[in-house]
Amino acid sequence: MQARLRLKQKGAKRAKEKKHYAREHVNADDELWQILSALKEQSRTAGVIPRLEPQFTNLNKKGNTVAAYLCSPYTDHIATGFMDLGWGCGYRNCQMLMTFLQRKKEAGESVLRHVVDISGLQLLLERAWNDGFDAQGAKQLSHRVYKTRKWIGTTEVYCMLAYLGIRSTILDFHRPTGPNNSHDRMFDWIQAYFETAIDENTKDKVVHVTDRPPLYLQHSGHSRTVIGIELLKDGKRNLIMFDPGRRMLRSYRRTTQPKDDFDESALSSSSSQNSDGSSDENKSSFATRLLTNWKRTPLPANLLRPFRVDAKAIAKNRQYQLLVLGEVVDERDRGGCLSWNGEKGYLLDEHEREAMKDVTSMGAL
């Protein structure tokens, strides 16, 4: 009898200690998810990252590439459509982050129910503003973006993710840190971000496909998604990026050209299929299947160039911001560095979500 009582007490304690995430009430809001209509699968290109692997391996054989580090293959490429050409890059890069979050699981469920189309993102941003998120940004954009062509940037993406109960961190690289206006410190941080995901037993490999989320990179007038970094024999480095303004992937898509999703109606739910046709139950093996199915079919050689951006091109802009999914820890006051904390997870509890209503960033220099 006493043993049974102790078991009941332990069970009650575990239930009490169970963490409650903001996602629970966000995902329970069916009205919200009807408004946040899903991006059409035809607008997403899955499997690009595994197909880059043999390209960088071949470059290593030619003697120039020393190593390449790539983000999680959960990440799809998404290009701008006809209706958002010239203003939709912020939304498209946000959607690319969302493709990772849709397939990533935490606490037994996908971090995000589905990838939201542009009209849905605009409504989501206005909802976040109405709920008290980023009051300054709301004022700057006159509290309205729905059915407009207003650009969005890092703070708006941070705001939308926080509203959905998803953790992110903004890093400011506010000036060049190397010769010829180069951003060496930013390259250093990105390199460390990917390199620290590598197991000691695989360090001798040339190409590393990691489990790291992609990074949202913003400069004045444009944003892109960083999916990796390439180290060259001469000591130089290239960022590997998805640029939504570059439509170079059209030549090998199996489907028709991507459809515009601006102002689409709600079509999907959390039980919709993934971009490879699999259901939610099979998401855990998604990365494995991508690597198996696509690593043997490399991209045409002329399609690799648009992914690579060298330090000289990055130096054209003086200031950058990185939005990092998850938490970045600052231990510089103790002799450490800025580092990504994978143990923290992506989900916010209610107190953390409330605190993120005021958008903050971290100086990286």
Side-chain angles (χ1 to χ4, degrees), residues 260-296:
D260 292 301
D261 61 316
F262 188 55
D263 199 23
E264 296 283 358
S265 59
L267 296 173
S268 184
S269 67
S270 59
S271 62
S272 63
Q273 288 187 322
N274 297 324
S275 55
D276 64 339
S278 65
S279 63
D280 286 344
E281 288 76 15
N282 295 323
K283 284 178 184 174
S284 60
S285 63
F286 184 80
T288 304
R289 287 184 284 108
L290 280 180
L291 289 168
T292 302
N293 294 337
W294 275 301
K295 72 164 44 174
R296 300 190 190 94

Side-chain angles (χ1 to χ4, degrees), residues 163-269:
Y163 182 81
L164 293 173
I166 298 169
R167 189 188 318 280
S168 67
T169 307
I170 298 175
L171 299 181
D172 288 322
F173 296 87
H174 61 275
R175 58 176 172 80
T177 52
N180 301 314
N181 294 319
S182 62
H183 290 270
D184 295 351
R185 295 272 292 277
M186 185 174 74
F187 274 72
D188 291 344
W189 194 89
I190 293 172
Q191 181 177 338
Y193 171 78
F194 287 110
E195 280 186 337
T196 52
I198 302 307
D199 187 275
E200 288 288 334
N201 298 325
T202 62
K203 281 194 172 182
D204 293 335
K205 287 181 62 179
V206 174
V207 185
H208 303 270
V209 179
T210 73
D211 61 354
R212 288 286 193 267
L215 303 166
Y216 180 107
L217 180 67
Q218 178 79 50
H219 64 79
S220 179
H222 193 44
S223 59
R224 287 167 283 187
T225 298
V226 180
I227 61 163
I229 190 166
E230 177 187 18
L231 312 184
L232 304 179
K233 189 176 182 180
D234 59 6
K236 295 180 180 179
R237 295 173 288 190
N238 294 323
L239 295 184
I240 309 167
M241 295 202 276
F242 283 165
D243 186 339
R246 303 295 293 266
R247 309 194 73 138
M248 66 284 183
L249 300 174
R250 291 281 182 87
S251 64
Y252 76 93
R253 291 183 66 95
R254 298 177 188 174
T255 59
T256 57
Q257 292 188 0
K259 295 184 179 181
D260 292 301
D261 61 316
F262 188 55
D263 199 23
E264 296 283 358
S265 59
L267 296 173
S268 184
S269 67

Side-chain angles (χ1 to χ4, degrees), residues 55-89:
Q55 293 295 325
F56 288 110
T57 301
N58 290 337
L59 289 172
N60 171 260
K61 292 176 181 177
K62 293 177 182 178
N64 194 27
T65 299
V66 175
Y69 300 87
L70 301 170
C71 75
S72 168
Y74 287 175
T75 311
D76 292 352
H77 179 275
I78 299 172
T80 52
F82 177 75
M83 294 296 292
D84 64 287
L85 192 63
W87 60 271
C89 62

